[in-house]
Amino acid sequence: MSGCLCLPCYKKKEGTSAAAAKPSIDSQTSALLQKPTHPPLPPSKGMDAVERLKSGFEEFKTSIYGKKPELFEPLKAGQAPRYMVFACADSRVCPSVTLGLQPGEAFTIRNIAAMVPPYDKNRYTGIGSAIEYAVCALKVEVLVVIGHSKCGGIKALLSLQGGAADNFHFVEDWVRIGHIAKKKVQTEHASVPPDDQCSILEKEAVNVSLDNLLTYPWVKEGVAQGTLKLVGGHYNFVDGEFLTWEK
């Protein structure tokens, strides 16, 4: 099963060496946490890793940067993006590619499962400072939160068991930002298969993030004054679909 995040529980069994120890995975969640089956490697995988980056830049410089001075020259003086986009860090869902966003058009934050935490001056200050800068300094007009199909972070959220120990330092605590969405899906769609619950949760987690955005005072003020719009989105790369809705 493919996903942007896998959460095996790495526990070494007694009497086995570190090399021989295998990940111990709770039987109820193993289906959601299996190691992804990787597709055939792209041609770039045969290149040196650094050379791949260099060649990619040379292609960009020749084919795009050098041919669009009308786009890049104004950016030397500053940026004035219309959008702030929250998207997942999954390598398959780059919003600049999927939405055709040009340099200077979107101030973008990417993290596990495109989560937006609630306002808190003592936690998640990286996200808070980005939102504050985008709204108060850059004067963005639209805040967009985009979930996506086959999201491993959402699968991890759905598979978390109450009282179970965390396997990672940060991951589980981060995806718990969406616990309200998880509770809603499990209550309203209890009879739905786990894969379908995941698909529903991908969208409900976006709604929780949109609600959390309103806990930031400058966002709440902007929405009330009509200078800011909150938009939810979902990119289904399996079927090639993109949905949007306004909060």
Side-chain angles (χ1 to χ4, degrees):
M1 181 175 293
S2 179
C4 63
L5 179 68
C6 290
L7 296 177
C9 179
Y10 295 103
K11 295 181 179 179
K12 178 174 175 289
K13 296 181 180 180
E14 293 184 4
T16 61
S17 65
K22 295 182 178 179
S24 173
I25 304 177
D26 184 275
S27 59
Q28 294 181 351
T29 62
S30 60
L32 295 178
L33 303 180
Q34 291 174 356
K35 185 176 180 180
T37 300
H38 296 291
L41 298 178
S44 63
K45 288 292 185 178
M47 299 176 61
D48 174 80
V50 177
E51 287 303 317
R52 166 63 185 87
L53 299 178
K54 291 180 179 179
S55 65
F57 173 73
E58 289 302 324
E59 175 65 23
F60 160 77
K61 185 176 181 180
T62 302
S63 302
I64 300 176
Y65 184 86
K67 292 184 177 181
K68 295 186 177 182
E70 73 283 358
L71 172 61
F72 291 97
E73 283 298 322
L75 298 180
K76 296 178 182 180
Q79 62 172 324
R82 184 181 186 185
Y83 303 96
M84 181 177 191
V85 176
F86 297 88
C88 186
D90 190 304
S91 61
R92 301 166 293 181
V93 296
C94 176
S96 295
V97 175
T98 58
L99 302 181
L101 296 169
Q102 299 297 312
E105 196 171 5
F107 192 74
T108 305
I109 298 295
R110 298 183 66 180
N111 59 49
I112 298 296
M115 296 281 183
V116 179
Y119 177 91
D120 190 327
K121 292 190 70 173
N122 299 313
R123 299 182 72 193
Y124 313 123
T125 55
I127 298 292
S129 62
I131 297 171
E132 183 177 28
Y133 186 73
V135 174
C136 300
L138 297 178
K139 307 296 184 183
V140 298
E141 301 172 15
V142 185
L143 303 181
V144 188
V145 182
I146 304 173
H148 70 90
S149 58
K150 303 292 184 180
C151 181
I154 295 300
K155 290 179 183 178
L157 170 62
L158 189 63
S159 69
L160 290 177
Q161 302 296 315
D166 290 349
N167 302 319
F168 288 81
H169 292 270
F170 303 106
V171 175
E172 291 93 345
D173 187 54
W174 176 256
V175 298
R176 285 190 185 99
I177 291 170
H179 76 278
I180 296 175
K182 172 185 175 179
K183 184 176 180 181
K184 178 180 179 181
V185 170
Q186 290 182 326
T187 300
E188 298 180 1
H189 306 277
S191 62
V192 172
D195 283 350
D196 293 335
Q197 284 189 355
C198 248
S199 296
I200 298 168
L201 184 54
E202 288 163 1
K203 301 178 182 70
E204 290 296 343
V206 169
N207 286 330
V208 168
S209 288
L210 293 174
D211 286 339
N212 286 343
L213 279 169
L214 290 172
T215 66
Y216 293 83
W218 46 87
V219 174
K220 183 178 181 180
E221 180 182 0
V223 171
Q225 294 179 350
T227 59
L228 270 182
K229 180 183 292 186
L230 303 187
V231 176
H234 183 268
Y235 170 44
N236 181 344
F237 61 78
V238 176
D239 298 319
E241 297 175 345
F242 181 68
L243 304 176
T244 62
W245 61 93
E246 293 189 23
K247 184 67 176 179

